[in-house]
């Protein structure tokens, strides 16, 4: 009886104080502008993994180098590995080099891109200096031999124009566009450098497509 009375009192008190559950809001990276695809290559893009601390749809922020915190009511529309992977897929498709970017291996795709998200976070350096930071490690490998064609760790940050989660999403979109602007040409160059006798190259040449030059 005592417990029931206490529970009723708590409900009444909460109602009297106008208690309201905070609304959860969702954010995403702004995608690159779409362009007609004009390339001839096919690239396999496998799912990106995410380091454990960031493998969450809750947005991460930090105020010191030693501690991570999470916004409970501000979340990404998908986990970082999916979100960054989707961004890269569209960036690769709109660059014009690739006829298609696919998620499953196919015999006529010469290379496979994979990687991981090392960090995606808001970094509060002071009360007036907030930055969005995103770090990824990308690996391009030969689809048939598994040999590493290119790999790089890319770390970008951008100041927040608005000190709120929407400002963070905007800053991270800008940082991600710089990552893509650096990675996509490097991926293209690595694929163009593959030997002419590569199985996918031979298949494409016999079908009337262009031949990759080293």
């Amino acid at each position: 009886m005592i417990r029931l009375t206490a529970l009723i009192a708590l409900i009444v008190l909460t109602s009297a104080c106008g208690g309201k559950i905070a609304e959860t809001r969702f954010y995403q990276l702004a995608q690159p502008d779409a362009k007609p695809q004009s390339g001839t290559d096919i690239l396999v893009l496998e799912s990106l993994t995410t380091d454990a601390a960031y493998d969450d749809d809750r947005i991460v922020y930090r105020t010191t180098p030693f501690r991570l915190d999470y916004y409970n009511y501000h979340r990404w529309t998908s986990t970082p590995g999916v979100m960054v992977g989707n961004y890269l897929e569209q960036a690769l498709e709109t660059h014009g080099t690739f006829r298609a970017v696919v998620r499953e291996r196919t015999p006529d795709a010469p290379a496979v891109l994979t990687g991981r998200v090392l960090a995606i976070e808001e970094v509060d350096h002071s009360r007036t200096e907030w930055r969005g930071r995103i770090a990824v490690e990308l690996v391009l490998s030969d689809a048939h031999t598994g040999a590493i064609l290119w790999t790089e760790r890319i770390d970008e940050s951008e100041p927040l124009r608005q000190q709120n989660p929407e400002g963070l999403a905007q800053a991270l979109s800008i940082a991600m566009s710089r990552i893509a602007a650096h990675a996509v040409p490097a991926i293209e160059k690595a694929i163009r450098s593959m030997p002419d006798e590569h199985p996918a190259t031979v298949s494409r040449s016999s079908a009337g497509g262009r031949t990759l030059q080293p």
Side-chain angles (χ1 to χ4, degrees):
M1 186 66 179
I2 294 176
R3 289 182 180 178
L4 179 59
T5 302
L7 178 59
I8 294 173
L10 179 61
I11 294 172
V12 171
L13 179 61
T14 302
S15 300
C17 294
K20 182 180 179 181
I21 298 175
E23 182 180 355
T24 302
R25 299 187 181 276
F26 295 90
Y27 306 85
Q28 62 184 5
L29 299 177
Q31 294 295 311
D33 294 334
K35 299 177 184 177
Q37 299 175 23
S38 58
T40 57
D41 290 317
I42 296 177
L43 177 67
V44 178
L45 174 61
E46 293 188 338
S47 299
L48 273 64
T49 61
T50 307
D51 280 10
Y54 303 93
D55 194 15
D56 197 303
D57 64 352
R58 292 178 299 171
I59 293 177
V60 174
Y61 71 94
R62 66 164 74 238
T63 55
T64 76
F66 315 107
R67 173 178 166 180
L68 290 177
D69 289 295
Y70 300 87
Y71 286 111
N72 287 320
Y73 300 105
H74 298 285
R75 297 171 179 257
W76 299 118
T77 54
S78 56
T79 56
V82 172
M83 185 168 61
V84 172
N86 290 342
Y87 188 101
L88 286 174
E89 179 179 9
Q90 188 161 338
L92 288 159
E93 287 180 340
T94 59
H95 190 255
T97 298
F98 302 101
R99 171 163 51 92
V101 178
V102 299
R103 292 306 185 110
E104 295 183 1
R105 298 199 179 211
T106 177
D108 54 347
V112 177
L113 179 66
T114 187
R116 61 188 178 127
V117 179
L118 305 173
I120 181 168
E121 61 189 358
E122 171 192 308
V123 182
D124 301 344
H125 294 285
S126 69
R127 291 187 176 181
T128 58
E129 185 186 1
W130 296 13
R131 300 184 71 88
R133 173 180 174 248
I134 182 166
V136 300
E137 182 180 62
L138 300 175
V139 180
L140 183 73
S141 59
D142 187 306
H144 297 270
T145 68
I148 302 299
L149 304 172
W150 169 83
T151 182
E152 190 168 343
R153 172 175 175 160
I154 311 171
D155 195 323
E156 288 283 349
S157 68
E158 176 72 17
L160 272 65
R161 298 175 185 176
Q162 306 174 56
Q163 291 184 336
N164 55 36
E166 187 169 351
L168 173 65
Q170 181 184 30
L172 287 173
S173 296
I174 295 171
M176 190 65 215
S177 70
R178 290 201 296 266
I179 290 175
H182 174 80
V184 172
I187 292 166
E188 176 188 8
K189 181 179 179 181
I191 292 178
R192 287 182 179 274
S193 299
M194 297 177 72
D196 289 342
E197 63 271 15
H198 189 281
T201 303
V202 173
S203 174
R204 185 167 60 251
S205 297
S206 63
R210 68 172 173 82
T211 302
L212 296 179
Q213 297 298 323

